[in-house]
Amino acid sequence: MAENAGFPLLPTEYDAATDPLALDWAQLYADECEDAEAWADLAVRALTVRDAARDEPRAVVAGFTAGRARWRQALVILGHNDVWTAAVLGRKALALLQSAHDDVARVLPEAKTGAMSKTEADRLATIWDETLAQELIARTDLAEMLGAISGETSERIGVLMAGRERGHAGTPGPRSWRALGCVHHNLSVAEVVRLRERAARGGDVDPMVPTLSASRALEIRLQQLSADNPITVTEAANTQMQYAICLILAQDASRAAALIKQHEPLLALIPGPHRARAAEQRENVIEMFRFAFPRHRGRL
């Protein structure tokens, strides 16, 4: 099951308390603002500040704020079922977020050479992590929008593969690492769709492609797994089942059965209504396993 990665970033320590853009972002986000025009207005004001600041550090933060505001605007419009307009705005947001991250990345080598204080270097690393995380989130959600518009998997996979490459270009921090896990997960889901489409047309298929993406996603998510954070449990459980589906398609009964069994302890940790949904997904995967491997039905 593909996931919606969107968890708009909250203002962080580098957003000064006196920064009107940061304050407006915080207020709109706290109010769960569903007014697309309000987010559009914030984006325009942030771009004005960015263009006036030019090469100053303030320009990077303003550009990042503009990207986040555009993305939030896209999500609001998506909520009104206007996928096409949301995707257009999503592309604009992605360009802004990528530009902000690239600007930070250009300065980052100075931190590693000792050209700035440790406090400044740590602050820059935080900004680098958050700008990359938001870029990856935007890429993941944009891919799902494009898939909904065209029904084709090629562009969807292309956006996700670009996110994978961007995410592994450096050393991800905690936020970008989590976002990268979602990129790999959704890439595996899209690759399974493409595999089934090709198989229906009698084309060549390689089940190891989505299997490798699912394996990488699970590796990342198990590293972040915490019983104190239900979201990480739900994400890891979801990816376990995606990985099991890939192993079934790859005709690997032993590993698929083992993974499905490993899912049960995680299922018990998933809270509330999410547990019922995960349990239903698990039952569907078990049925898929039994159909694919009738001689191994007793394993599950």
Side-chain angles (χ1 to χ4, degrees), residues 7 173-182 220-221 224 231 235:
F7 44 101
R175 280 190 178 274
S176 52
W177 192 238
R178 180 186 169 199
L180 190 54
C182 193
I220 292 172
R221 288 183 159 179
Q224 295 196 318
I231 294 177
E235 289 176 342

Side-chain angles (χ1 to χ4, degrees), residues 240-292:
Q240 274 189 331
M241 290 300 91
Q242 174 60 23
Y243 192 12
I245 289 171
C246 294
L247 290 171
I248 293 170
L249 293 173
Q251 294 294 298
D252 192 336
S254 296
R255 291 172 65 199
L259 199 60
I260 294 170
K261 290 177 180 178
Q262 291 169 14
H263 181 261
E264 192 166 1
L266 281 185
L267 186 63
L269 297 175
I270 297 176
H274 298 291
R275 184 184 304 168
R277 184 179 177 185
E280 181 180 0
Q281 182 188 23
R282 172 187 168 85
E283 288 304 314
N284 290 338
V285 175
I286 290 175
E287 286 303 310
M288 181 181 178
F289 177 91
R290 289 172 176 168
F291 180 81

Side-chain angles (χ1 to χ4, degrees), residues 165-231:
E165 298 306 313
R166 294 276 294 178
H168 286 291
T171 303
R175 280 190 178 274
S176 52
W177 192 238
R178 180 186 169 199
L180 190 54
C182 193
V183 169
H184 281 285
H185 176 95
N186 280 24
L187 180 57
S188 177
V189 172
E191 288 167 340
V192 166
V193 173
R194 181 176 63 183
L195 182 149
R196 286 172 168 161
E197 289 173 347
R198 288 179 175 175
R201 296 193 299 266
D204 293 333
V205 296
D206 183 2
M208 288 310 298
V209 173
T211 301
L212 290 173
S213 294
S215 173
R216 189 65 172 130
L218 186 58
E219 177 186 354
I220 292 172
R221 288 183 159 179
L222 289 179
Q223 288 178 14
Q224 295 196 318
L225 183 63
S226 171
D228 296 329
N229 187 345
I231 294 177

